[in-house]
Amino acid sequence: MTSTRYPSLTRAGLTNSYLHTNSTTHQFLFGAVAELLDNARDAEAKQIDIFPTKDPSLRGGFYLNFLDDGRGMDPTEVNNVVQFGKSFKRASGDNMIGQYGNGLKSGSMRIGNDFILFTKRREKMSALMLSRTFHDKEDIESVICPMPVWSTTTRLPVIQEGGKERHKQEIDLMCRYSPFKSESALMKQFDKIEGDCGTLIVIYNLKLLDSGEPELDIVSDRSDIRMAEMDPEDQSNLPERVSFKAYASILYLDPRMKIYVQNKKIRTKRLANALCNPMMYKFSSNRFKKRSEDEVTKTEHEYNLAEGRARELESTSRDLEKKFGSGAHKSSNTADRVLLRKAQDKAKDAREIAKSRRSECDTKRRSLKDRKSLDFFFGFNIENRRYFGMFIYNCSRLIRMYERVGPQLSGSDSCAGIIGVVNVPYLVLEPTHNKQHFADNKEYRHMLKAMGDHLQCYRRDAKDVMRKGGIKQFWEGFGYLDDDWSQPPSSEEKYERQRAMKIPKVIQCDSCLKWRTLPFQSSQVGKDLPEGWLCKMNPDRKHNSCKCAEEIQKFPEGEFRKEQKTKEQRQAEIKEKMQKMQRELNKVSTPDNKSSPASRRAESSGGSRVRKQKVASFESDEDDDDGGLFSKSTQSRLGLKSSREPTKRSRAVPPPQPRSERRERKVRRISEVEQPSEEIRRNNNNSRSSARKKTKGYRIQRGFGTGRRRGRRTSASAASGRSVRRGNSK
């Protein structure tokens, strides 16, 4: 193996403390659990089961199992699991959720201190243990991961490098630091994986709260996993933050995997299909450049490597050709000719790879200027209107939920109760490692602003589907009889029927995993569909078989139009903004409104009376709520009034003087200070007179100013044959 090469050189390694540091990237615990679901989905699993197993000897009293029927892993892929940051999913396109090769380690270490993995693919079965408990008790700083391998058919150990001694040591460590105390108990875990391939992950020694109880509650609801010490009746807690069943139901935009929690199937849903009056808007922008630029840089690097490799192999091939490939140096030895042919084939293949990398690089470089397009979906959440906001998906995986945009940020009821959905491709925005946010916050905010603008457009377009009574009448029609938005809708039959008519039931077949839209049936209002629903139960005869194609969901497409505001609306917005700014200013102003240090220095320096008067006027203006920011004309136009009287410590402004008195005082000051002496005035007049004489002589010499009419020739100009115009020479 590569570990035996260069034994004297220093190696970069991971330490035990890094396992804990890596797990802290997940502040949201359900986000860590979702990492394991993402791996199962990327492995093309059709079903995943999450169930606990009680074991009082472990911390928390139970361990958590994640069992899927995906592709599984061979021993080479299992070895790559413990290589942090190594992932082969990046070259598979945008359909893969995982991109960093870190989700299994960070997610499992956030849930518990240890995990053991069992996987099977065809003729080999592999196990892997990553345990912080083992490293802490053995006082080992470097990360060690036992990884035994067995044959699927004979169930005997597959001897790896290190021989039988290595296999025995790996089994001994697993039995000491896992819930399974013998090799036979380890082998029984593979029996849970039905079929030729699949994966089972066991997480144990779970993280605890300060109270000593595990963070995950599996007792209060036997069909769910809930966050401990979070009251489900508290309306300030979002349901997706309390219940994993609620979170997993909307985790994927287009679910194609059955999820079971404690042997109870979660009814997943397409969020856009669960909205009332849904509408789609197309949005395009050329400001999403960060991901494209990163891809171009990466492709250019790959091309440079491929080009260097091709040149190296071509040089080797030419040297071999000169040595024994042609002419007098042509070798008759078969081995030499075979060596030459292999070198030529390698050079040819490397050149083809370099050409493909060059073509890919040119394509991505040209795409930098392309506009990136997104589809925004909006609709009313009539099931529970108090939960609203934007749901942001990346590669069909939920990243952000209940993001408020536009008018929703101000607490206005105009856009409350509306949910927005968007699926952002990986080449537009890149998620963070924990898949709870986006890496480029600037471009993400640009997208949210665009969603806010489109949300207002949808709200204006939705007026056509509302009743004449307006938004209040609209919500009352679905059972929201109270003005309090925290109250749920009425459970009366007529309101339940109205809600069921507006939102068609869309359900997934338990066999073929295709989505079917059921026609409205009044007899099914308020009733739940069976857990194992199949296509043959569909009343729609066109889609009552698994062989029938899935329906393509179509949404009405809206046209984005910016709101044209009237003059009165703009003035009202400006007035409201000014009043808000003034209120904020009043909060930070001091009670006694002391004068500023600059004004105190101006007073102490013995400045002019006008300067003192301006300082006093400024101090007086600070005493008014609105006069400190706006002029009197602006206050009168906007209707602003002063809300505070001047304080006693503020300097009073002298009353305004009549205009005649002010003018007389100004003239007297100028005559006393700025009036020039008689000698200076006489010298100035002489200077101006001499300047005029010089200018006049120059104009006469050049032929200017002597003709009465424009274009009339003078005696001086006639001799030279030039026509002179007044003030201009031609």
Side-chain angles (χ1 to χ4, degrees), residues 374-434:
L374 298 173
D375 293 337
F376 297 153
F377 297 88
F378 298 100
F380 290 92
N381 182 18
I382 61 176
E383 294 294 335
N384 199 335
R385 67 176 183 178
R386 70 182 299 264
Y387 301 118
F388 59 91
M390 303 298 111
F391 285 73
I392 319 296
Y393 289 81
N394 179 263
C395 300
S396 297
R397 203 271 202 189
L398 182 62
I399 304 296
R400 302 289 293 174
M401 56 184 177
Y402 297 111
E403 283 274 26
R404 303 289 174 87
V405 298
Q408 295 177 343
L409 293 171
S410 61
S412 174
D413 293 344
S414 60
C415 291
I418 299 178
I419 283 180
V421 182
V422 61
N423 185 27
V424 185
Y426 183 73
L427 290 177
V428 175
L429 285 178
E430 180 183 8
T432 54
H433 285 210
N434 59 5

Side-chain angles (χ1 to χ4, degrees), residues 3-65:
S3 59
T4 61
R5 300 178 63 185
Y6 313 112
S8 61
L9 300 184
T10 304
R11 284 169 166 75
L14 298 174
T15 61
N16 181 31
S17 59
Y18 175 76
L19 298 178
H20 169 70
T21 304
N22 189 42
S23 67
T24 57
T25 58
H26 291 283
Q27 297 181 355
F28 181 40
L29 184 55
F30 287 164
V33 179
E35 291 278 10
L36 305 179
L37 272 68
D38 296 339
N39 290 337
R41 180 182 179 274
D42 289 343
E44 299 179 355
K46 303 298 181 183
Q47 178 176 325
I48 183 171
D49 295 84
I50 306 172
F51 57 94
T53 302
K54 292 185 178 180
D55 190 338
S57 64
L58 299 174
R59 190 172 65 173
F62 67 94
Y63 58 86
L64 210 56
N65 303 268

Side-chain angles (χ1 to χ4, degrees), residues 76-92:
T76 303
E77 293 175 328
V78 174
N79 185 52
N80 292 333
V81 166
V82 294
Q83 297 186 22
F84 288 73
K86 190 170 184 178
S87 176
F88 296 98
K89 299 178 182 179
R90 299 177 184 176
S92 303

Side-chain angles (χ1 to χ4, degrees), residues 662-678:
R662 292 200 305 269
R663 186 173 182 180
E664 181 181 354
R665 183 163 49 86
K666 182 177 180 181
V667 171
R668 186 170 58 253
R669 185 173 63 251
I670 293 175
S671 62
E672 293 175 354
V673 179
E674 299 181 357
Q675 187 173 9
S677 62
E678 185 66 24

Side-chain angles (χ1 to χ4, degrees), residues 275 277-279 281 376-379 390 419-420 451 454-455 458:
L275 303 177
N277 300 322
M279 190 173 291
Y281 293 85
F376 297 153
F377 297 88
F378 298 100
M390 303 298 111
I419 283 180
M451 293 193 75
H454 286 73
L455 172 64
Y458 169 75

